[in-house]
Amino acid sequence: MQRWRGLDQLPGGWGRCVVTIGVFDGVHRGHQKLIAHAVQQARKRGVPCVLMTFDPHPAEVVRPGSHPAQLTTLQRRAELVEQLGVDVFCVLPFTRELSRVPAEGFAHEILVEKLHAAEVVVGENFTFGHKAAGNIELLTKLGERFGFEVASDALVSGPVERSDETDGTSVTFSSTYIRACIDAGDVVAAASALGRHHRIEGIVVRGAGRGGKELGFPTANLSTPDYTAIPADGVYAAWFTHRRRGADQPGPAMPAAVSVGSNPTFSGTERTVEAFVLDVDADFYGEHVDLDFVQRLRAMERYESVEALVEQMNADVAETRRVLGVHE
Ligand SMILES: Cc1cc2nc3c(=O)[nH]c(=O)nc-3n(C[C@H](O)[C@H](O)[C@H](O)COP(=O)(O)O)c2cc1C
Ligand SMILES: Nc1ncnc2c1ncn2[C@@H]1O[C@H](COP(=O)(O)OP(=O)(O)OP(=O)(O)O)[C@@H](O)[C@H]1O
């Protein structure tokens, strides 16, 4: 898969292509079906499939300060769409200037003149151009005028398994819905809509230094990129994967009990994400870590004594083993 930032990297002699457009933050089950359709159309036509996405999130440019929590890093988004068969991952820097391009100009200048789109495959709620004034009807008309076809796919919905087990509610998959699940700590519902566990990434940094020495539970403290969609405060069972500096392949997934919160027992003020990795004694400082959230075990609590916290942490570890199906 090729990766472009902006359209200056378009190779000379670029022919026609099939394009799908959107933020695609979640690369959720709706996005997956849409992208698979775009790839299928591209294969039928014998042309490349281009996925066009934006960075930063358009909301931040339109209303500064309103950047939504981010479900995937651009790097992860690229990896996920590559697995779906996309040929070109094209990131358009979303600037004020781009936000002011009217819908017709966007179609003509970007889709036609630059990309030579033969077909545009988008969801039926797709909007584009200044003030999101362009919709499928307009895109279809512009396609007739400029010579590209438009496929507007029905939005994918389905029943979502929820952690409170009142499952079966059907939802239309969207990044907004998944952000709300994560914000509420319902990583089970998020996984149901994503089609995989919600992952956060970070670099292991130094914490207060009390976990190993005082509690007997050393934790890897994660520094995460801005806007990361961190689940609600609480304790979670998760899979921990680390990548040594310079290594391109991640190590094996290891079970972890993860704490998200401000460590109220120690009157902490900073919100941290800390993983106690089971059954290993290793130094993870400086490493890149992925945490895949499987299930929320409980809320973050303030304990009256360190002994009470340690007793609860032992119970958390036992519960993590049960949830992840790993034995001592
Ligand atoms: C599984 C697990 C559960 C935890 N639960 C709580 C909790 O309920 N309340 C709390 O104040 N801290 C909790 N913590 C956080 C500990 O207070 C924290 O790991 C400890 O202060 C060490 O911090 P450090 O890594 O910065 O040294 C938990 C940590 C883990 C790994
Ligand atoms: N449930 C869905 N089924 C099929 N296509 C979808 C679905 N949701 C979004 N799309 C399409 O995927 C592309 C990317 O959309 P975008 O990332 O803006 O969607 P989203 O997940 O609904 O995000 P948000 O909730 O932030 O609006 C667009 O073409 C959009 O129409």
Side-chain angles (χ1 to χ4, degrees):
M1 186 179 74
Q2 292 185 40
R3 294 186 192 191
W4 305 340
R5 189 157 179 105
L7 292 167
D8 297 338
Q9 280 166 283
L10 260 159
W14 177 253
R16 303 203 76 180
C17 65
V18 169
V19 188
T20 183
I21 314 165
V23 179
F24 293 108
D25 183 15
V27 195
H28 55 61
R29 286 165 60 192
H31 293 153
Q32 290 163 23
K33 190 162 179 205
L34 180 76
I35 294 167
H37 184 206
V39 168
Q40 185 190 32
Q41 292 306 99
R43 301 288 185 269
K44 264 193 209 157
R45 291 173 181 271
V47 298
C49 176
V50 177
L51 180 139
M52 183 189 281
T53 189
F54 307 98
D55 180 53
H57 195 289
E60 180 62 21
V61 174
V62 177
R63 263 181 310 125
S66 72
H67 198 303
Q70 205 156 14
L71 300 169
T72 57
T73 58
L74 273 184
Q75 170 67 19
R76 168 92 165 134
R77 221 177 293 169
E79 284 166 13
L80 289 167
V81 307
E82 181 168 22
Q83 288 163 16
L84 295 167
V86 167
D87 300 295
V88 179
F89 182 72
C90 171
V91 181
L92 278 198
F94 201 86
T95 56
R96 282 205 76 77
E97 196 187 341
L98 183 62
S99 77
R100 292 198 183 106
V101 175
E104 186 173 331
F106 182 88
H108 188 250
E109 285 153 36
I110 295 178
L111 299 180
V112 178
E113 288 197 332
K114 294 275 191 197
L115 286 175
H116 308 160
E119 183 169 347
V120 179
V121 181
V122 285
E124 63 189 3
N125 66 349
F126 175 69
T127 56
F128 64 108
H130 187 49
K131 300 207 158 137
N135 56 13
I136 293 293
E137 201 188 334
L138 178 64
L139 188 66
T140 309
K141 277 196 194 131
L142 294 171
E144 282 161 12
R145 178 151 24 122
F146 298 135
F148 60 83
E149 277 183 43
V150 174
S152 98
D153 287 16
L155 297 184
V156 181
S157 52
V160 168
E161 187 194 343
R162 297 214 330 227
S163 59
D164 58 11
E165 292 177 61
T166 56
D167 59 349
T169 344
S170 185
V171 301
T172 299
F173 304 126
S174 75
S175 301
T176 304
Y177 170 76
I178 297 162
R179 287 183 195 112
C181 295
I182 293 167
D183 206 41
D186 195 343
V187 294
V188 169
S192 216
L194 285 168
R196 60 176 191 277
H197 295 124
H198 173 53
R199 170 174 293 185
I200 70 170
E201 302 179 32
I203 303 291
V204 180
V205 295
R206 298 214 175 258
R210 81 173 77 83
K213 285 191 207 107
E214 198 176 329
L215 307 178
F217 289 92
T219 53
N221 292 37
L222 261 67
S223 165
T224 51
D226 287 347
Y227 311 119
T228 299
I230 296 173
D233 285 7
V235 178
Y236 296 83
W239 291 107
F240 173 103
T241 316
H242 68 120
R243 210 169 303 174
R244 296 211 177 275
R245 228 175 293 179
D248 34 296
Q249 288 303 317
M254 297 186 273
V258 176
S259 157
V260 178
S262 60
N263 303 341
T265 305
F266 303 96
S267 305
T269 47
E270 203 191 324
R271 188 174 191 229
T272 60
V273 178
E274 313 185 4
F276 170 64
V277 187
L278 278 57
D279 311 324
V280 286
D281 181 11
D283 178 359
F284 297 113
Y285 287 123
E287 288 188 11
H288 182 113
V289 162
D290 297 332
L291 277 185
D292 289 343
F293 286 82
V294 177
Q295 197 173 301
R296 187 170 197 252
L297 307 181
R298 64 175 175 91
M300 174 79 2
E301 305 283 354
R302 181 191 179 98
Y303 289 93
E304 290 309 318
S305 65
V306 169
E307 293 71 34
L309 171 61
V310 168
E311 195 183 329
Q312 179 57 52
M313 287 168 83
N314 277 310
D316 294 335
V317 168
E319 184 64 357
T320 298
R321 286 193 193 283
R322 192 191 64 74
V323 167
L324 300 180
V326 285
H327 303 289
E328 232 166 310

